[in-house]
Amino acid sequence: MCIRDRYQRRVHGFAFLECSQRQAYNPKKFCNAYKDLDGYPTNTSVQQDAHEFLNMSLERVENIISKTPQRFLVGGIFGGRICSQIICKGGCGMVKKNYENFNDLSVEVRGFRTLSESLNKLVAGDKITDYMCDYCNKKVDVLKRTSVSELPNVLIIHLQRLVFNYDTLRNDKINSRLEFPKELSMEPYTVEGITKKENPGEEVSFKEASYYHYKPVSYTHL
């Protein structure tokens, strides 16, 4: 089966789930058509990593449509940008920024009760000691954090429910409850939202309110 046929099989399955009145879809043909990294059909007797499946699927779709008029389809739906910042706390206040594209946001679950807490941890960042600051010309403490610079049309949030255990050298599954809001505002986790919070007197440019708001439509263990 050629790549395009596998793509059509995948689209057929997702279209069935979206449009059909039935609540289930038999993925047998899809599993036979969808190959793993070694070129073998999906082994349905082995639990697979859903996040890895998502990234692989989106990458394959992008490769298939890369030379067609629909080449920007995946990015136009799921694509956003994050801003990674390194902020000097040693005196100069220097801020280094790096921008990266993303198709999903990955947040920690362990120790948190709500999605908002997980997102707060994402943007809170981590303190790093003995970082060589180019402006201070000495080793200082810095804050390394992530914020969202561009939100996608459809936001996928990956919950890190698999955590590697260095004692057992195996992944532990985090099954604790995590609460979701009926409506999610991403404004506090954006570059402009954080800037407004940290600098109340500074004039900050915001987009329309609807740009920041999402209504959850699907929950799965990604």
Side-chain angles (χ1 to χ4, degrees), residues 17-18 77-78 115 153-157 180-184 213-220:
L17 293 172
E18 178 70 22
I77 297 174
F78 304 108
L115 178 61
N153 289 310
V154 176
L155 176 63
I156 298 176
I157 297 180
F180 291 77
K182 292 183 177 180
E183 279 200 25
L184 174 64
H213 288 270
Y214 293 90
K215 288 186 177 182
V217 295
S218 178
Y219 302 91
T220 186

Side-chain angles (χ1 to χ4, degrees), residues 49-52 54 104-110 112-119 155-163 172-181 184 218-222:
D49 183 84
H51 188 228
E52 181 180 313
L54 170 69
D104 64 85
L105 285 179
S106 185
V107 299
E108 296 180 23
V109 172
R110 173 176 283 176
F112 301 113
R113 297 175 301 170
T114 67
L115 178 61
S116 296
E117 291 179 357
S118 295
L119 289 169
L155 176 63
I156 298 176
I157 297 180
H158 163 235
L159 306 181
Q160 298 175 17
R161 290 197 175 274
L162 290 179
V163 178
D172 289 340
K173 181 71 175 290
I174 310 300
N175 292 312
S176 56
R177 176 185 175 90
L178 190 76
E179 297 179 1
F180 291 77
L184 174 64
S218 178
Y219 302 91
T220 186
H221 294 290
L222 287 182

Side-chain angles (χ1 to χ4, degrees), residues 27-39:
K28 181 178 179 179
K29 293 182 179 179
F30 169 78
C31 291
N32 288 331
Y34 190 87
K35 303 297 191 294
D36 61 19
L37 294 175
D38 296 320

Side-chain angles (χ1 to χ4, degrees), residues 187 191-202 204 206:
E187 181 185 307
V191 172
E192 56 268 32
I194 294 174
T195 301
K196 177 183 177 181
K197 180 180 178 181
E198 295 180 344
N199 304 279
E202 183 176 331
V204 182
F206 286 89

Side-chain angles (χ1 to χ4, degrees), residues 8 21 44 56 60 139 149 170 177 189 194 209-210 216:
Q8 291 174 347
Q21 295 299 316
T44 56
M56 186 184 299
R60 289 180 177 180
K139 291 184 177 181
S149 61
R170 299 179 62 181
R177 176 185 175 90
Y189 317 110
I194 294 174
S210 59

